[in-house]
Amino acid sequence: MCGRYSLTTADGELTSAFQITCPRGLAPRYNIAPGQGVLAIRQRENTKAREAVLLHWGLIPSWAETPQISSSLTQARSETVRDKPAFKASFRTRRCLIVATGFYEWQSTPAGKQPFHITHRAGQPFAMGGLWDRWEENGAVIESCTVLTCAAHQGVAPIHHRMPVVIPASQYDRWLSPSEIPAAEIAALLQPMPSEDTVCYPVSTFVNSVRNDSPQCILACQQQRPANLQRTLPFD
């Protein structure tokens, strides 16, 4: 589902990994939430160069009457994105990468919802598949985005049935190209992070509040591990 995520990597590593110049003043974030500005990468118009920009998280289609629609468009299901009016135009020509070092999902338990932080096993940043659009009215301009989601793989499914689409580094240029992707290639791109690269671990409910944005959000909490997550948690 991906309703929150983290981006804690230093600017230099992002520059190297994604071949971008980061926006000035970019700071580590531990609890990024819908409605906030998020780091996204897209291809500049009329050129193949990449640009890193801050976009409002929650898509506002160019045809929307008001920006308030954004709160219901923070995620887009990859299975239907080509057909939904809010997303189909952006999916054809306005795709972006939304950079993260981890994302959060909440598992329902008898004691309540347990948050998990889900990251790449190597600790490296990764790119969630995103779409962007530009909304204008009376001189006001808002550029916004949404995160694509897909069915969770076996490592995350015990926590939540959905997770973000993660674009492989080898496919960044293809994804960012403003040309339409042939139907035969789409399924191969709209996949989650490989299960063998995924690490999931429980964190405290400190992350539940969007007001909390500190390293405490990603600290592992010592709790009994569900049997079906034994191989995915980084405590051994």
Side-chain angles (χ1 to χ4, degrees):
M1 181 174 162
C2 189
R4 308 275 185 81
Y5 72 96
S6 60
L7 177 58
T8 61
T9 305
D11 291 7
E13 186 175 349
L14 294 177
T15 297
S16 175
F18 297 99
Q19 301 170 29
I20 56 170
T21 299
C22 290
R24 184 175 300 176
L26 187 69
R29 296 290 312 280
Y30 299 89
N31 194 7
I32 301 170
Q36 298 177 353
V38 301
L39 179 66
I41 301 168
R42 63 189 180 189
Q43 186 170 304
R44 289 196 181 103
E45 297 178 10
N46 304 317
T47 176
K48 291 185 177 181
R50 298 175 187 175
E51 65 174 349
V53 293
L54 294 177
L55 302 177
H56 173 91
W57 185 8
L59 195 76
I60 308 169
S62 59
W63 45 260
E65 293 184 1
T66 71
Q68 279 67 41
I69 193 174
S70 72
S71 62
S72 62
L73 299 177
T74 58
Q75 293 108 35
R77 293 178 65 92
S78 60
E79 297 89 344
T80 58
V81 69
R82 285 174 289 172
D83 304 314
K84 294 292 184 180
F87 304 125
K88 62 182 182 180
S90 290
F91 184 74
R92 283 198 299 269
T93 61
R94 290 187 295 275
R95 297 177 296 273
C96 64
L97 303 172
I98 299 174
V99 185
T101 47
F103 60 94
Y104 299 96
E105 297 292 3
W106 279 257
Q107 182 185 50
S108 296
T109 75
K113 289 194 172 183
Q114 170 62 52
F116 280 78
H117 191 226
I118 302 167
T119 68
H120 192 282
R121 185 171 296 279
Q124 63 192 40
F126 55 89
M128 301 184 291
L131 312 176
W132 70 278
D133 208 341
R134 182 183 291 112
W135 180 87
E136 301 182 42
E137 184 177 80
N138 299 326
V141 177
I142 302 175
E143 293 190 325
S144 60
C145 64
T146 190
V147 175
L148 289 167
T149 68
C150 59
H153 59 57
Q154 61 183 1
V156 172
I159 302 170
H160 197 277
H161 67 286
R162 303 289 293 180
M163 63 187 294
V165 166
V166 173
I167 305 299
S170 62
Q171 298 300 315
Y172 288 168
D173 287 340
R174 186 74 191 91
W175 181 255
L176 293 175
S177 170
S179 60
E180 191 167 355
I181 298 175
E185 298 179 23
I186 289 174
L189 289 171
L190 301 180
Q191 299 295 324
M193 181 187 298
S195 58
E196 63 270 21
D197 292 336
T198 306
V199 171
C200 313
Y201 64 94
V203 295
S204 79
T205 54
F206 181 79
V207 74
N208 289 1
S209 173
V210 297
R211 293 187 296 273
N212 296 329
D213 188 5
S214 72
Q216 186 176 339
C217 291
I218 63 172
L219 291 179
C221 64
Q222 300 296 328
Q223 66 160 36
Q224 184 176 357
R225 289 181 276 176
N228 52 6
L229 293 177
Q230 289 285 339
R231 289 181 296 173
T232 64
L233 296 175
F235 297 133
D236 299 324

